Amino acid sequence: MAVSLRRIRADLSVFGRGYLRSRVGLFFSLIFPIILILMFGAIFSGNNSGPIPVYVQNNDASSPVFQVSGGFISALNSTKAMQITLVSPGVNITKYAIDHSASAGIVIPQGFGADFIDGNPVNVTVYGNPTSSTTGIVEGVTSAVVNSFNLHRVNGTAVLGISQQSVVSKSYKYIDYLVPGLIGFSVLTSPMFALVNISSQYKRDKVFKQLSLTPLTKTEWLLSKITWYVALTVVSFVLMSTIGVALLGANISYSLGIIPFLFLGPFLFVSLGMLVGTVSKSVESAAVVGNLVTFPMMFLSGTFFPVATMPMYLQTVAHALPLFYVIDGLNNVMLYGNYGGALIDLGVLAVLSVVVFVLAVRFFKWRED
Amino acid sequence: MSAIEVASLRKSYGALNAVDSISFSVAKGDVFSLLGPNGAGKTTTIEILEGLRERDGGDVKVLGLDPWKNGYEVHRSIGVIPQGFKFVDYATPREAVKYYAALFGVKADADAILRRVILEDSANVYFSKLSGGQKQKVGLALALVNDPELVFLDEPTTGLDPQARRAVWEVIRNLKSEGRSVLLTTHYLEEAEELSDTVAIMNHGRIITAGTPAEIIARHGSGERIRVRGDQKLADYLRKAIPSVPVDYHADSGEVTISVGRKEDSLFALEAIERSDLPWNDLSIARESLEDVFVKLIGGEGHGQAAVGAKHEVARAATEGA
Ligand SMILES: Nc1ncnc2c1ncn2[C@@H]1O[C@H](COP(=O)(O)OP(=O)(O)OP(=O)(O)O)[C@@H](O)[C@H]1O
Ligand SMILES: [Mg+2]
């Protein structure tokens, strides 16, 4: 039977209005993900957002080759990971750090420049609290700068001016992952929870039976919901990416490649929600099955943490979850510019969407027998 | 051609024969009522006719078509209010009517339809905020949107206040006067008697009697019924005085009823009451109603009205035992 746009529009208008009026759906689709992004953005930027205050004591400042230690300090500085305060030589650095409640200090020994040029081993000392995560960062950054200095020495490159090409090459901040991750989160949760609920309730209340007595078809009903959730996803995308970029300093790129994911994601999860709701015997069992399907996906698909940071076996699990391909695709497009990878994600999603949609229409019973 | 033709229709759920080989037909333009206690099989029958459930056996024609196979065509010409109608919580009656009009692709005057079912005052109230009766009226309004030839009304007046119920009656009468056919179910027998051209009484999936209300009353009723307020002693006295006439005592209402078949029995009964020297008042004589017959036919089986019949039997057994 031909799909009628008029009927889809009529259904969309009733559904959309109901959605906006009930406010619950709106909260979970738009407001809740924003709360999450602000919350997680704030929690995880607390550690590494501002540069870490570090006291540096340069005992080699008065050497004839003071440029080496000076270059080292400016290299540390240019990582932007540290906020360096110079401490005059002769001060007890550990005492000083404690007095100033700083967690880390770096001491450059006397003769640093000369030893470096002559190729004699020489150590920079990092003082810090081993239990503090900021100390770890200071150590890591310092050792990266040290490595970079060593490399340049071996290559025989001039020592001065090294500082510019220091440690952090192309790295991503947590918030960069969080934006596509939470967009994926809302692509999953808002249609899934709504459709599981609606489809099982409509079945119980015989609303579907009622609708089956009109010319509206199951496909049209489902397409109307898909249209709604695609629109909602686009709004959610705009809100979240704007907040991510403007408020939380996310570094993401906008490209047309994002669009197919914003379309296929809701398409897939509206259908999946419908399928779960329609095969369940009651509203309660639908909710249980819906949660069983939704929750693992919600946490394991790269929503809150990049999948690459998870243990290997969980990464394998992630690849079996449909949401993974939405988030991976968004990462590929928005962060890595990896369009080849995005195309694969898109392929997987397209196949999944069609299969689930067909199953949903097939199992979705208007009437009983 | 009849609007509905049903021959040997069967439907079972496991061992339960919900509809057990029933046959009836509804003439075009008639109001046909399907009556029966809870679980009799009315909704099952109706939903089979609407094409919502598949039958196990028998032949069904609705407007000349098989509703299960030709649901799409049948649905364009029927209107339905399902039992316990529900709709989208956050849609108003006006929106609901417009929605249906768009789905059917018909021009419908939403206000006129809402006025017809006396819902114009609540036209813009969310469905979830409507009273039970108002919700039913939304169902009725939706059943009318596509200008149906045949309307199925499954308990359209359950839960309505008397005024709203009369409004629904008015709608049904109008449907009839416009030449539409109506299949109605209801637990209010005076309503069925009032509105129907034909009724069928179902029990346990079977039709136990059918015909015009007058025919059924004539066939199964015992004619007139005298009600008089009095006590157990009066009932006992009357049983002795006029042994050929059934006398019942209803302890809860303090009423004695006498079913009189022949005209002269009424006179004997009245005379006996007068002669008893026992206190009595509020005497009335009325023709037996469809409800009286229904109670008699269905007996005391878990049905609102039938429950009276049950007590009635118990009361009689008790007095006979004494
Ligand atoms: N889907 C079903 N599955 C199992 N049993 C069912 C189903 N539908 C109806 N029944 C049974 O069939 C019988 C007839 O039910 P039906 O709903 O037709 O009764 P009804 O006459 O409409 O009663 P009421 O006056 O209470 O609405 C009942 O015993 C009911 O339990
Ligand atoms: Mg019923």
Side-chain angles (χ1 to χ4, degrees), chain A residues 267-268 271-273 275 351-361:
Chain A
F267 188 101
L268 173 60
S271 308
L272 190 60
L275 185 60
V351 171
L352 276 176
S353 301
V354 170
V355 170
V356 176
F357 180 81
V358 168
L359 286 178
V361 172

Side-chain angles (χ1 to χ4, degrees), chain B residues 103 107 124 130 148 155 172 186 201-202 209 221 276 291 297:
Chain B
L103 293 185
K107 280 212 163 35
N124 298 316
L130 295 173
E155 298 193 23
I172 295 173
T186 177
I201 298 180
M202 276 187 94
T209 187
S276 69
E291 180 160 341
L297 287 174

Side-chain angles (χ1 to χ4, degrees), chain B residues 9-235:
Chain B
L9 175 64
R10 280 187 296 108
K11 174 79 183 174
S12 32
Y13 293 105
L16 175 80
N17 295 321
V19 177
D20 195 358
S21 199
I22 63 170
S23 303
F24 64 89
S25 69
V26 178
K28 274 224 161 103
D30 265 10
V31 175
F32 181 96
S33 292
L34 210 48
L35 309 175
N38 292 129
K42 306 181 295 294
T43 299
T44 307
T45 305
I46 282 206
E47 292 202 347
I48 290 170
L49 296 177
E50 292 162 354
L52 292 177
R53 301 194 201 183
E54 195 173 12
R55 60 187 183 272
D56 293 341
D59 258 337
V60 171
K61 287 266 179 298
V62 173
L63 302 172
L65 296 167
D66 179 332
W68 183 252
K69 297 207 182 87
N70 307 100
Y72 206 77
E73 290 90 313
V74 170
H75 293 163
R76 292 199 161 270
S77 340
I78 65 171
V80 168
I81 161 163
Q83 185 172 1
F85 169 80
K86 288 219 178 70
F87 196 70
V88 181
D89 279 351
Y90 288 96
T92 67
R94 177 178 281 119
E95 288 164 356
V97 171
K98 289 193 166 152
Y99 174 52
Y100 261 50
L103 293 185
F104 278 105
V106 297
K107 280 212 163 35
D109 181 347
D111 293 311
I113 289 178
L114 293 173
R115 225 175 296 124
R116 225 171 136 178
V117 300
I118 321 194
L119 199 56
E120 67 271 32
D121 291 342
S122 311
N124 298 316
V125 178
Y126 293 158
F127 184 78
S128 57
K129 298 256 155 54
L130 295 173
S131 74
Q134 288 170 330
K135 286 179 180 166
Q136 286 286 98
K137 290 186 189 172
V138 177
L140 191 58
L142 293 185
L144 303 180
V145 169
N146 60 329
D147 194 19
E149 247 180 88
L150 167 63
V151 185
F152 292 93
L153 305 169
D154 197 353
E155 298 193 23
T157 56
T158 298
L160 296 195
D161 63 49
Q163 216 172 337
R165 180 154 0 133
R166 279 182 172 69
V168 173
W169 294 4
E170 201 49 43
V171 173
I172 295 173
R173 287 197 193 98
N174 286 337
L175 290 174
K176 182 177 162 61
S177 72
E178 290 158 4
R180 303 175 214 264
S181 324
V182 176
L183 199 162
L184 173 75
T185 79
T186 177
H187 289 296
Y188 303 105
L189 287 120
E190 83 280 9
E191 176 172 302
E193 196 171 347
E194 176 83 26
L195 298 169
S196 325
D197 297 301
T198 317
V199 305
I201 298 180
M202 276 187 94
N203 198 15
H204 298 307
R206 293 165 184 268
I207 291 181
I208 50 180
T209 187
T212 66
E215 277 168 7
I216 291 181
I217 292 166
R219 196 179 309 147
H220 302 280
S222 45
E224 316 243 284
R225 171 168 296 219
I226 298 171
R227 291 173 200 271
V228 61
R229 202 166 288 283
D231 59 11
Q232 178 79 54
K233 278 195 201 123
L234 179 63

